[in-house]
Amino acid sequence: MMNELIPLMVIVPLMAALIISAFSKFNKATKIFAFVIAICLPLIPLLSNYGLHYFGGYEPILDNVTNVVYHPAITYSFTFFQQIFIAMIGLLTFLVVFVYLTKYKEISGPYLFLLFLGTAAVTAMILTDDIFHMFVFFEILALAQVGIVAASSIDYSYEMALKYMILGSIGSPIMLLGIGFLLALTGSVNITDIVTAVHSGLVNAKSPVFLLSLGLIFFGWLYASGLPPFHTIKSGIYSKAEPHGAALLQSFTVISMISIVLIMYRIYSVLPIFEVLIVFFSILAMVLGVSLALTQTDFRRMIGFLAVGELGFIGLGIGLGTNFAITAGLFQALNEIIITALLFIGFGAIVEATNEVDTRKLGGLLAYHPKVSIMLLIGGLAMAGVPPLSGFQSKLMLVQASLSCGFPELSILAIMVSIATFVVFVKTFYTMFLKPKPVELDVENKEVPRAMVFVMGILLIIIVLLGLFPNLIIHGISSFVGGIL
């Protein structure tokens, strides 16, 4: 049965973006419209049935001679895995739009346009079974990310957006070239067809062109996910966006990271070097992310680097390549989206109240903003993997996965990086909330926006729930991974 709701997950935010951009001068009406659409975003994936959607009604064709099924249409595949991630992105978009609408009297049409456009793009990336289609939305997403940063009112945000755009103009064409080589080898851009061609021996996996396509697409993936050598620009992007924007940008990064890596995994897992490459860059990200976070005095940059370090954990699980390890990596991805969003919005609330981002100039905020402080503390502990929070469950699974794959060194490294994350966080928390308030810091009569506290509360509830009941998610993701392997 064809499910009509599947394409709507992309079409609704895409159309909403265009309508908001066109009619943004009707301020009140646009606000209501944006709010209503934002509520629908997490609901559509939850109401949809699992299945495939073929655009244009082109059903797959069976080749009677070889018994191979070919997919002429752009195909969207929708399983529990897609459902949970799209619903989470939808929820985050709703919360971010809610914070934005309550913060500004006059809304900016282009800014809301970018938020919805980014959401539509990542949704398409995670649904599609067509590698060129994935690339097109990857490009749209890159432009939306640049726009969200450039539209923020923070100093030097233009410069950071421009740097990211210049890197993108190198990263994206390289990736497209790799996709072109795959098309040349297999005659298809449908991922399932490419995988069939590779695994049935129609493509020589040792041929230079196939290896080159891996190198090119892998480079594009490093750029998309902000793994080294792109980690500094990625954390810079987060620090120059509005806090709610950064929360969403970071979720876009995680989704594009897992969408592309799962596609690469399906195509290139026949090559032994593929998993080695992923584990290598992931370890690099974990170590660099946490080391650079230790040296930061701007807490937005600090969270940016921690977020990059957390990406390393996701990559580690996927690189180990067993069902359990990949499930752990994807569960870690879901947790990271929620936890990092909580931290960005929480620290953003502190910026709202103090107009200060330098940790050395802050102090004593626990007395003024107890709710925000406690929620931030719990979020930080979740990121560091302290039980019984969700971050602990996924990191514990990753440690077990490394042990069962016969790499106790990786388990020890993962534990050490988690401890270092904990140290970074406790140090920052102490400086901002517990040590005596500096004389020149003015925090009198400044309230934290209620919308931000509300949003943090919702994210916190999800973190605790996933920590106490991880099997709500794990079984579904595990069966999805079983389908790929």
Side-chain angles (χ1 to χ4, degrees), residues 416-439:
M416 284 170 65
V417 171
S418 292
I419 294 171
T421 305
F422 181 75
V423 170
V424 172
F425 205 84
V426 168
K427 181 184 125 190
T428 309
F429 188 82
Y430 171 77
T431 329
M432 289 171 61
F433 295 101
L434 302 176
K435 75 162 200 222
K437 181 172 88 71
V439 184

Side-chain angles (χ1 to χ4, degrees), residues 324 327-328 331 392-402 474:
F324 184 72
T327 305
F331 185 36
F392 165 73
Q393 297 287 359
S394 51
K395 288 191 173 174
L396 179 66
M397 285 174 72
L398 286 165
V399 169
Q400 290 167 330
S402 313
I474 291 170

Side-chain angles (χ1 to χ4, degrees), residues 224-447:
S225 46
L227 291 172
F230 300 108
H231 54 291
T232 40
I233 186 85
K234 203 55 152 177
S235 67
I237 285 282
Y238 299 150
S239 68
K240 296 295 175 222
E242 300 260 347
H244 52 265
L248 204 56
L249 283 176
Q250 185 272 336
S251 63
F252 291 166
T253 302
V254 174
I255 298 275
S256 47
M257 171 184 184
I258 57 175
S259 310
I260 299 170
V261 80
L262 288 173
I263 291 171
M264 290 198 300
Y265 192 88
R266 287 170 61 192
I267 297 173
Y268 295 111
S269 55
V270 290
L271 299 168
I273 181 118
F274 172 67
E275 292 177 356
V276 178
L277 276 175
I278 287 201
V279 171
F280 173 75
F281 279 99
S282 300
I283 291 173
L284 211 56
M286 285 157 69
V287 175
L288 277 174
V290 94
S291 323
L292 288 165
L294 270 168
T295 61
Q296 298 301 316
T297 53
D298 175 340
F299 54 73
R300 291 172 311 187
R301 282 305 290 250
M302 179 207 74
I303 304 248
F305 279 121
L306 284 181
V308 170
E310 294 294 297
L311 291 172
F313 282 95
I314 304 172
L316 181 66
I318 290 166
L320 288 170
T322 61
N323 184 323
F324 184 72
I326 296 178
T327 305
L330 294 175
F331 185 36
Q332 168 71 19
L334 187 70
N335 288 335
E336 187 187 338
I337 289 175
I338 307 162
I339 295 168
T340 317
L342 171 73
L343 294 180
F344 274 127
I345 289 173
F347 280 115
I350 298 297
V351 181
E352 292 282 317
T354 58
N355 291 329
E356 188 54 73
V357 293
D358 189 336
T359 47
R360 292 168 300 186
K361 295 180 184 167
L362 290 168
L365 294 175
L366 183 63
Y368 295 92
H369 305 296
K371 284 185 200 149
V372 175
S373 336
I374 301 300
M375 289 200 265
L376 269 177
L377 181 62
I378 299 173
L381 295 178
M383 185 182 251
V386 175
L389 304 163
S390 60
F392 165 73
Q393 297 287 359
S394 51
K395 288 191 173 174
L396 179 66
M397 285 174 72
L398 286 165
V399 169
Q400 290 167 330
S402 313
L403 286 172
S404 61
C405 293
F407 299 112
E409 312 82 14
L410 291 180
S411 302
I412 294 168
L413 179 77
I415 293 168
M416 284 170 65
V417 171
S418 292
I419 294 171
T421 305
F422 181 75
V423 170
V424 172
F425 205 84
V426 168
K427 181 184 125 190
T428 309
F429 188 82
Y430 171 77
T431 329
M432 289 171 61
F433 295 101
L434 302 176
K435 75 162 200 222
K437 181 172 88 71
V439 184
E440 61 276 11
L441 182 68
D442 174 31
V443 281
E444 296 303 319
N445 313 325
K446 286 193 183 167
E447 280 304 302

Side-chain angles (χ1 to χ4, degrees), residues 31-271:
K31 271 188 161 180
I32 296 168
F33 178 71
F35 188 75
V36 171
I37 293 290
I39 289 182
C40 298
L41 292 181
L43 296 178
I44 299 173
L46 294 175
L47 297 172
S48 296
N49 296 332
Y50 302 145
L52 298 169
H53 183 89
Y54 308 108
F55 281 85
Y58 297 109
E59 298 286 324
I61 304 168
L62 177 67
D63 182 344
N64 292 326
V65 184
T66 55
N67 270 345
V68 175
V69 176
Y70 290 104
H71 300 78
I74 288 177
T75 309
Y76 277 2
S77 116
F78 183 66
T79 64
F80 174 80
F81 163 75
Q82 277 89 355
Q83 183 178 40
I84 194 84
F85 274 94
I86 293 169
M88 192 50 70
I89 281 286
L91 178 67
L92 243 186
T93 306
F94 165 65
L95 295 174
V96 165
V97 168
F98 175 66
V99 168
Y100 178 74
L101 293 179
T102 49
K103 184 177 172 185
Y104 295 103
K105 295 250 184 319
E106 286 291 316
I107 53 154
S108 149
Y111 188 74
L112 280 171
F113 165 78
L114 292 164
L115 294 181
F116 281 114
L117 183 69
T119 305
V122 282
T123 308
M125 281 176 73
I126 202 167
L127 281 172
T128 184
D129 194 39
D130 183 292
I131 194 164
F132 182 70
H133 191 75
M134 185 276 307
F135 173 78
V136 170
F137 278 101
F138 167 65
E139 278 289 75
I140 293 173
L141 177 67
L143 289 172
Q145 286 177 309
V146 167
I148 289 172
V149 176
S152 83
S153 52
I154 296 170
D155 300 340
Y156 304 115
S157 62
Y158 289 141
E159 182 191 338
M160 195 51 88
L162 188 66
K163 282 182 189 165
Y164 193 68
M165 204 150 100
I166 291 167
L167 274 181
S169 61
I170 305 164
S172 303
I174 286 180
M175 189 178 195
L176 185 59
L177 197 59
I179 293 172
F181 283 141
L182 276 181
L183 173 61
L185 283 171
T186 59
S188 176
V189 286
N190 180 282
I191 297 157
T192 308
D193 293 355
I194 295 174
V195 173
T196 310
V198 172
H199 287 276
S200 61
L202 292 173
V203 172
N204 173 14
K206 297 204 169 56
S207 76
V209 179
F210 188 68
L211 291 169
L212 186 58
S213 73
L214 165 63
L216 295 169
I217 294 176
F218 195 86
F219 182 85
W221 175 67
L222 290 178
Y223 158 73
S225 46
L227 291 172
F230 300 108
H231 54 291
T232 40
I233 186 85
K234 203 55 152 177
S235 67
I237 285 282
Y238 299 150
S239 68
K240 296 295 175 222
E242 300 260 347
H244 52 265
L248 204 56
L249 283 176
Q250 185 272 336
S251 63
F252 291 166
T253 302
V254 174
I255 298 275
S256 47
M257 171 184 184
I258 57 175
S259 310
I260 299 170
V261 80
L262 288 173
I263 291 171
M264 290 198 300
Y265 192 88
R266 287 170 61 192
I267 297 173
Y268 295 111
S269 55
V270 290
L271 299 168

